[in-house]
Amino acid sequence: MTLNLVHAFQVQDGSRLGYFLTSVGNKEIVSNIDPLSIKHDSRIAHELKPVVEAYVEFSKIISADRNPLDVFTAFDTLMRQLNRLAESKPSWIGAALVKVTHDLIRYAMAADEFIAKNPTMMATKVVGDLEHEACLTKAARTIHGAFKLCLNDRNEDPSKSRKQYVYYFVGQEMRIYFKLQNRDLAKNMEKVLVKMSHSLPDLHNVEKSHAVMYLYYSGIVYCGDRDFEAAYKKFKAAFHLCNSKEKRHLESIFSKYPDLERLKSYTIAYTLYANIIKSVISGDLKLFDREFEGMEVLILKKNLYLVMEELRNFVVLKLLKRIYLANGSNPHLSIKMITRGIEFAKFHTSNKDIAKRNIGVFSSDEAECLVANMIYQGYIKGYLSHSNGVLVLSKKDPFPNQVKSDPK
């Protein structure tokens, strides 16, 4: 195994180097490998020694069936040594870093799961009242080392620059930060990339899977800032770069709500969102709120809570349009009429039935508050006349178009 590893390094084959560093079987006995047996070239021996030693230690731990925490710790050391080696190497080393990063995250997640089930085991020593650090957090710090050495590569030849791997590492870091529910760190990564974008390769000139992952998590960052236009552009780019055969990934990055017939071809997305879309089309608040409540855990997991909150405004907007049309497109809508319309949309029953069943009512004050918010956010044009109990809509354009044309 050591000879194969050395040969991959000699011929500058990052993929094979990464393969040999991660292809240790659970029962493989490698304890007889001598890290000092690299005699092919003294320079190679000097450069590779720390990596080989870390690899051998990791292999011994795997073969001894040690716990996931020990496995992660050893593999984290291996990647740190590989990061140091990569500092002086051109782009070929990036493929090895990618392969090792993939396994590092897997081992970190297994270690954190092990610690959760065995609370007496600590990832780091506890100091005072400080809690132990998650292995996934430690993995992110190690991956950040790979990110920095790629980002700071000064090689002007794009084919030899490690910068082509920047999007992979930033995507993996953002993935970890969202999993750890630390959106601020994910946002910081996006800021760094935006600042350095002038010196980075075009997304169409890097590995597609790397670009798709980055664009997906970048879109989530912009959703969190309620910059849905920027998020849409990110998701759209990810959608078009994604392999058409990867339906699961395509469903995850669906960037807009298509017609229901098209959505049916994406089984998971249709099952999850069909009723949400129907509620937006019809202005059915009860249907939307029921689906929203039932999907709350999933929505939080998928970082879609703010998106869904924003989407509810479109349900209200559709409802107000229907009330407006039902009133003969009269620009003067009584708050009483709006209140009853919203109330029916929320409960699917009349005001008398609501009182009988003691399920609560929707007050005129709540209706005014909701309408005022819609005016403030630019969904409708008009003003409230509180003394007269009337919403006065603009005669020219009471409901501005909320959908911008999609640039080609």
Side-chain angles (χ1 to χ4, degrees):
M1 181 65 77
T2 304
L3 295 178
N4 288 331
L5 192 153
V6 173
H7 182 259
F9 182 81
Q10 284 178 317
V11 298
Q12 300 186 353
D13 189 335
S15 295
R16 284 183 64 79
L17 179 62
Y19 169 78
F20 290 126
L21 289 174
T22 58
S23 61
V24 180
N26 285 341
K27 299 296 183 182
E28 184 174 355
I29 305 300
V30 292
S31 58
N32 60 341
I33 295 177
D34 180 5
L36 302 178
S37 64
I38 308 171
K39 301 182 182 298
H40 297 73
D41 185 298
S42 58
R43 178 184 58 83
I44 291 178
H46 176 73
E47 286 188 299
L48 268 184
K49 181 182 175 183
V51 173
V52 173
E53 288 180 338
Y55 168 77
V56 170
E57 182 61 27
F58 166 71
S59 301
K60 288 178 180 178
I61 287 174
I62 285 284
S63 64
D65 285 333
R66 297 273 287 277
N67 68 63
L69 179 56
D70 291 340
V71 171
F72 164 73
T73 302
F75 199 77
D76 183 62
T77 299
L78 173 58
M79 181 161 179
R80 288 176 181 274
Q81 293 297 346
L82 186 62
N83 279 347
R84 294 190 183 96
L85 176 66
E87 289 176 358
S88 60
K89 305 302 171 191
S91 61
W92 69 266
I93 198 74
L97 290 168
V98 165
K99 178 65 177 171
V100 173
T101 294
H102 179 272
D103 278 21
L104 180 68
I105 293 173
R106 180 164 59 87
Y107 289 132
M109 292 172 66
D112 283 335
E113 184 178 347
F114 173 76
I115 292 169
K117 293 179 180 178
N118 300 272
T120 57
M121 301 292 295
M122 308 294 284
T124 60
K125 292 181 179 180
V126 175
V127 180
D129 295 327
L130 296 178
E131 295 183 357
H132 76 272
E133 186 176 47
C135 293
L136 208 49
T137 300
K138 294 180 70 175
R141 195 155 51 242
T142 302
I143 295 167
H144 191 69
F147 164 73
K148 287 196 298 184
L149 67 90
C150 290
L151 183 69
N152 297 325
D153 194 328
R154 296 177 182 245
N155 196 319
E156 295 183 2
D157 184 346
S159 65
K160 295 181 180 179
S161 174
R162 296 187 301 266
K163 284 185 177 180
Q164 61 188 278
Y165 293 99
V166 162
Y167 295 107
Y168 173 80
F169 294 113
V170 76
Q172 292 292 356
E173 276 199 73
M174 292 168 90
R175 172 191 169 200
I176 290 173
Y177 295 142
F178 278 116
K179 188 171 183 64
L180 293 172
Q181 299 183 345
N182 194 330
R183 183 181 167 276
D184 287 340
L185 285 178
K187 187 174 180 179
N188 287 342
M189 296 301 297
E190 175 65 15
K191 286 180 178 178
V192 170
L193 243 63
V194 170
K195 185 177 180 180
M196 299 292 293
S197 59
H198 65 281
S199 64
L200 295 177
D202 187 276
L203 280 165
H204 290 85
N205 296 330
V206 301
E207 182 74 28
K208 283 188 177 182
S209 61
H210 300 179
V212 169
M213 174 172 280
Y214 159 68
L215 287 166
Y216 174 72
Y217 287 107
S218 175
I220 294 176
V221 168
Y222 285 105
C223 279
D225 286 341
R226 294 186 181 272
D227 188 346
F228 298 115
E229 184 176 351
Y232 169 76
K233 291 177 181 178
K234 296 283 187 174
F235 290 137
K236 180 184 176 183
F239 188 86
H240 287 296
L241 282 173
C242 192
N243 190 318
S244 60
K245 296 180 181 179
E246 296 287 346
K247 271 209 165 186
R248 182 173 63 87
H249 293 157
L250 289 170
E251 288 180 339
S252 294
I253 59 178
F254 237 132
S255 56
K256 60 181 179 180
Y257 292 94
D259 61 80
L260 288 177
E261 288 304 313
R262 180 185 174 192
L263 186 64
K264 286 178 182 177
S265 63
Y266 295 89
T267 309
I268 298 175
Y270 181 78
T271 302
L272 288 175
Y273 303 120
N275 283 334
I276 290 288
I277 298 170
K278 288 175 183 176
S279 68
V280 174
I281 292 172
S282 64
D284 190 336
L285 275 171
K286 182 178 180 179
L287 177 60
F288 182 90
D289 289 343
R290 185 189 72 200
E291 293 295 310
F292 194 176
E293 183 178 352
M295 297 167 60
E296 190 167 4
V297 173
L298 179 66
I299 287 169
L300 285 167
K301 184 178 179 181
K302 288 180 171 289
N303 297 287
L304 288 173
Y305 198 89
L306 290 177
V307 176
M308 288 298 181
E309 276 194 334
E310 191 74 16
L311 196 58
R312 192 178 191 277
N313 287 330
F314 286 90
V315 183
V316 175
L317 179 61
K318 182 66 177 184
L319 178 59
L320 290 175
K321 284 182 180 179
R322 293 185 67 178
I323 295 171
Y324 169 75
L325 293 173
N327 196 42
S329 300
N330 188 327
H332 292 77
L333 293 178
S334 73
I335 297 301
K336 184 178 179 180
M337 178 186 292
I338 293 172
T339 303
R340 296 289 80 82
I342 295 175
E343 195 171 59
F344 187 83
K346 279 179 66 66
F347 302 113
H348 285 194
T349 188
S350 68
N351 187 42
K352 290 182 180 179
D353 287 339
I354 290 171
K356 287 179 183 178
R357 292 160 59 189
N358 194 29
I359 59 176
V361 295
F362 193 78
S363 70
S364 59
D365 287 342
E366 288 177 291
E368 280 195 42
C369 217
L370 190 60
V371 170
N373 187 52
M374 297 294 284
I375 294 172
Y376 175 76
Q377 294 190 66
Y379 288 106
I380 58 178
K381 283 186 178 180
Y383 64 90
L384 282 167
S385 175
H386 179 72
S387 57
N388 295 315
V390 172
L391 165 64
V392 182
L393 290 167
S394 167
K395 293 181 180 180
K396 183 178 180 182
D397 189 18
F399 301 99
N401 188 10
Q402 300 296 320
V403 181
K404 296 182 179 181
S405 59
D406 198 1
K408 302 298 182 181

